[in-house]
Structures are given as structure tokens and as C-alpha cells.
Amino acid sequence: MPSLYSKTKDMASMKKNKNRQGEITMNLHTGRKLKGTITVPGDKSISHRSVMFASLAEGVSEITNFLEGADCLSTIDCFRKLGVDIRVEADMGRVFIHGKGLYGLSASSSTLDAGNSGTTTRLISGILAPQPFSTRLTGDDSIQRRPMRRIIEPLTKMGAHMISEKNNDCAPLTIHGRSLHGIHYRTEVASAQVKSAILLAGLYADGITKVTEPYVSRNHSEIMLRLFGADIHTEGTTAVLTPGSTLTARKIHVPGDISSAAYFIAAASIVPGSEILIRNVGINPTRDGILKVAQSMGANITIENVHTENGEACADIFVRSASLHGTQIGGSLIPTLIDELPVIAIMAAFAEGTTVITDAAELKVKESNRIDVMVKNLQAMGCDIEATDDGMIIHGGKPLHGACIPSHGDHRIAMSFAVASMMAEGETEILDRECVNISYPGFYADLKRLC
């Protein structure tokens, strides 16, 4: 049986090269069944928020199982520039943050660089809008193409003064701190980043701030703000924050990221003979859509050892291979699995029957246009798939073959096609494969460990 990594049985001798454009590539080949136990890195969304909220709290917070991916390290860098003392115990997932309190941040002497992180860019904007100083905020090429009007508009309604330097509603942004007032804002799209930016600004507002969404997006901000002492509650799809509370330092253990676990759930489901256990994964009901969809496709998944840590539901996930079938995905389910849709498309390609994904236009404004990229790459592997305005239609069950896969620097695309390569005939080449460092630096090593 050929190994996951082409032309080698050892990770150290894995073939790496440069293509004509100089992008880092990796060649993958049809893999073996997955067996064993794994612990995925800490949740990216919770890791971001733990740094931000602890920086605004009074006292020293300790964060364990922190995700040391590029995006979360960008958040740490930004808050260090704002005067927060943050100590990272490298490779140990432990971070100590000496909070400055809500009014203790200081002006940065240089531009804040959010790197590739949309979460950093949008959430920190809500914190910067009421500060008594001005800040320039930017990111990489991808961030400078991603839409920021969705936060500029509500924050401006609260009294913020934000300028898009290129006048295109994208970064770089200049934020001139001003006094803010509370508003009731209704979002057109369920977005945790937009909701969180508004709520964070609401900590400083002169009245109650409410955010109503069409569906409830991931609620990590509400859970963690409450843990730190904020006066916040929910009423249906509306989050309500009353200002005036002091945030107090806490000890936070970050659960495993279900978005990272999704790749192993998918791989173990589609590769015959697989059986894996993923320990201590966050199963917050605003994030567990991957489990619901996988089970609706016939996946063999058992949830064990359910418990709560810092208000977040966690569990072990046991996955056995299964024969999958197509399903329908849309509506209120979409916000609970928006980041997992690329790997769900991979599962659908190997499932019998048709899978239809709708209401997912948000995929177009992620790190890449994930609808177009998934469709083009899966077509290159022989999949019968078509793009729609807000999703895709996948006619599964057709054998796939290896192909050259551009990741477009999108970590979720690279990891999804690493999973696809395990059941594709022949060699698959992934370009710019190291973009997985954004959220899961040890992904390829963990995947190999299970094979």
C-alpha cells in the first residue's frame, strides 16, 4: 500500500520543491487508513479572543493550549505594540498576559500589522475605535482585499472615525479614536467578526449596544466576555451588552479547534478501514455544523466525554470510516460550519449522490474565493462539480485522480486537498503548502502520524 507522502516512507525525506513561480510545493499520494489518537491545536477563534479580552482585563491572565499559528501570533504582536506585556512560552501553548484594563492601552509608534488574520483586523478595530489616540492598521495582500465596510459602517454609526486609505473599504485603515454611543445594529450576514467588533466597541459606549443577526453566528465572544465579567446576554439572535463593567483576569484553557478536527473527521470517514479518536475538541453548538453534516451524510461519529471548560462545550470525537451519501446544506446551518465547507466539499466528492450547498456566498470573501477555488481544483481532479451564486453542487461518487492544486495561500484549501489526495488515484501536488501555518503548523506531521 503506498504511503501518504509520495516516493517516500519518511516525513523527513518528503519531497519538497519550487514550482516555476517559486511557490513551495508538496507531493501527496494515495494514503493508507488512519488509525490512532490525536489532539488538534487550540481553537483559533478562542485563542484570538483570549489575547484581546485578557489585554483589556485587570490582572494577569494565563492562557493554556493557545494556538501558536501565524494568525494568533499577529494578534499578540498588535497588542504588544499597544503596550500590553505578553509572554509566550514557545512550543508549550502557554501565554501570560498582563492586562492594562479597558483604558490602559497606549498608542502604537508603528502600524499594526494583522498579517493574514481577518479576525485580528475586524475585532481590534472595535477596540481601537474608542481609544484616545489614532492607529494605522493593515495586513497582508489578502487582508487588503477583504471587505471591511461591514465593520466600518456599524462602528461609524457608533461615532467612530475610520478611513480606508485606498477609499475601497479595505485595509489599510486609519482609526481615529472617539467617544462612542450604543446602537442596535442588524447585520445582513451572520458574522461573528462583525458582531464581536461591535460588542467590543460597546464596552466603551455611553449606552446599551445590541447586535441582531439573521442567524446566530459563533458566540465565543459572548461566552468569554461574560467570563471576564462583562454584562452581556442574548435574546434570540440578538446579543445585548451593557457597558460599565470592569474586566478581570482569568485562566483560560483553549479547547481543540473543531475546524482543525474537521480534516481528520473527513479523512477518517472517506478512507476505508480508518478509526481515530480526536481528544478534547470544542463542540460549541454555534460551531458543530461539521458534525451534523457529516452524520447526515452517513458518517460513523461518536461523541464521548462531553464536558465544559470556561463556558465552552468540549468532547472527544471518535470516527470510523463509512459509506457517505449526498446531503443538503444551507440556511441557519451555514454560520456553524462556514470554515469547514471546503473539506465538506471533499467529503461530498467521495459520497454517493448529490450534495447541494447554498447560502454560502460568504465563502467568496475569505482568504480566497473558496467557491471558485474549490470548484476549479476539484474539477482538476475529475469531480463533477459546479459553482452557484451562493455555493456549489457536487455530484459525488466518481473516482478522482491526482492533480496540481494551487492553494492560493489559503490554509483551508491546502488542508482540504491533502485530505482529497488520500483517496485520489496518482500524485497530487499542493502549491504553497506551508500556508497551513496560519492555523495548524503541525498539520502534515499529524496526518502522517495517523497513517
Side-chain angles (χ1 to χ4, degrees):
M1 180 76 69
S3 71
L4 172 65
Y5 299 97
S6 68
K7 305 177 184 177
T8 181
K9 293 183 180 179
D10 188 89
M11 186 70 173
S13 59
M14 180 177 64
K15 179 180 177 182
K16 293 193 291 185
N17 55 61
K18 297 252 183 188
N19 70 357
R20 292 177 184 176
Q21 288 75 41
E23 292 183 302
I24 297 171
T25 69
M26 181 177 70
N27 296 338
L28 304 173
H29 200 282
T30 305
R32 297 175 295 199
K33 59 189 176 184
L34 286 76
K35 293 282 187 179
T37 300
I38 189 173
T39 301
V40 297
D43 187 282
K44 186 157 77 80
S45 294
I46 296 174
S47 293
H48 278 300
R49 287 160 173 79
S50 68
V51 172
M52 295 184 184
F53 301 173
S55 294
L56 301 179
E58 296 183 359
V60 180
S61 294
E62 179 184 353
I63 316 300
T64 54
N65 201 39
F66 179 83
L67 172 61
E68 294 181 54
D71 273 11
C72 295
L73 294 178
S74 291
T75 293
I76 286 178
D77 179 67
C78 287
F79 278 89
R80 280 175 170 164
K81 289 181 177 177
L82 292 169
V84 182
D85 180 4
I86 302 176
R87 178 166 61 89
V88 179
E89 292 187 352
D91 302 321
M92 296 186 65
R94 184 176 297 167
V95 180
F96 294 91
I97 301 171
H98 297 257
K100 303 283 286 187
L102 285 173
Y103 300 94
L105 299 181
S106 52
S108 173
S109 60
S110 60
T111 297
L112 300 187
D113 187 351
N116 187 250
S117 177
T119 301
T120 307
T121 306
R122 294 188 175 120
L123 269 63
I124 204 171
S125 293
I127 294 171
L128 294 172
Q131 299 301 324
F133 51 78
S134 297
T135 309
R136 185 175 186 269
L137 174 64
T138 191
D140 66 9
D141 289 343
S142 171
I143 284 297
Q144 293 185 40
R145 295 191 301 269
R146 294 180 70 177
M148 294 299 156
R149 181 168 182 78
R150 55 185 58 186
I151 60 164
I152 294 173
E153 180 178 279
L155 293 177
T156 299
K157 287 180 181 293
M158 297 179 77
H161 183 199
M162 302 179 66
I163 300 170
S164 170
E165 289 186 8
K166 297 179 182 178
N167 199 31
N168 60 355
D169 291 328
C170 297
L173 302 173
T174 298
I175 303 172
H176 300 289
R178 287 184 172 180
S179 297
L180 303 183
H181 54 265
I183 61 170
H184 186 178
Y185 191 77
R186 293 172 173 81
T187 66
E188 295 181 0
V189 176
S191 168
Q193 292 180 4
V194 173
K195 174 176 62 177
S196 298
I198 299 168
L199 292 174
L200 285 166
L203 290 171
Y204 300 84
D206 63 3
I208 294 174
T209 295
K210 298 182 180 182
V211 184
T212 299
E213 304 178 282
Y215 307 110
V216 177
S217 64
R218 60 184 65 176
N219 65 351
H220 302 304
S221 290
E222 296 94 304
I223 290 173
M224 192 176 292
L225 280 171
R226 191 177 303 115
L227 180 69
F228 274 89
D231 183 352
I232 185 169
H233 68 278
T234 57
E235 301 170 355
T237 65
T238 301
V240 183
L241 184 141
T242 302
S245 300
T246 298
L247 303 188
T248 304
R250 291 287 183 265
K251 184 173 182 177
I252 304 290
H253 182 77
V254 182
D257 196 325
I258 196 168
S259 295
S260 296
Y263 304 100
F264 300 101
I265 293 170
S269 294
I270 67 175
V271 178
S274 296
E275 185 175 281
I276 66 170
L277 179 67
I278 314 170
R279 291 198 181 278
N280 200 39
V281 179
I283 57 166
N284 182 310
T286 66
R287 291 282 301 282
D288 68 352
I290 176 64
L291 300 177
K292 294 175 181 175
V293 166
Q295 289 171 330
S296 77
M297 298 176 77
N300 188 344
I301 297 175
T302 305
I303 306 301
E304 305 174 347
N305 188 29
V306 177
H307 60 286
T308 301
E309 294 183 10
N310 304 127
E312 293 281 354
C314 306
D316 299 337
I317 302 174
F318 186 61
V319 189
R320 291 188 180 96
S321 59
S323 297
L324 303 183
H325 54 77
T327 191
Q328 304 278 326
I329 307 168
S332 61
L333 195 58
I334 293 296
T336 70
L337 47 62
I338 189 70
D339 287 336
E340 291 73 71
L341 283 173
V343 79
I344 287 172
I346 300 298
M347 295 173 67
F350 292 102
E352 291 296 327
T354 298
T355 295
V356 179
I357 300 172
T358 59
D359 304 313
E362 187 71 7
L363 288 176
K364 296 179 179 180
V365 291
K366 292 291 186 175
E367 284 85 336
S368 66
N369 182 329
R370 289 178 179 164
I371 292 177
D372 286 351
V373 171
M374 288 303 302
V375 168
K376 290 176 182 177
N377 284 346
L378 275 171
Q379 286 175 340
M381 299 183 83
C383 181
D384 184 357
I385 180 173
E386 59 188 283
T388 64
D389 288 342
D390 64 351
M392 55 193 93
I393 301 171
I394 305 152
H395 304 286
K398 184 179 179 181
L400 301 191
H401 55 76
C404 180
I405 302 297
S407 70
H408 296 270
D410 189 328
H411 53 130
R412 304 212 184 274
I413 299 297
M415 289 187 280
S416 295
F417 281 94
V419 172
S421 75
M422 300 187 71
M423 284 294 289
E425 180 62 32
E427 187 176 86
T428 296
E429 183 180 30
I430 298 178
L431 305 182
D432 195 10
R433 62 119 189 171
E434 290 190 350
C435 63
V436 302
N437 291 337
I438 290 168
S439 64
Y440 198 156
F443 172 73
Y444 298 113
D446 283 351
L447 188 58
K448 178 182 183 293
R449 190 176 300 118
L450 293 173
C451 294

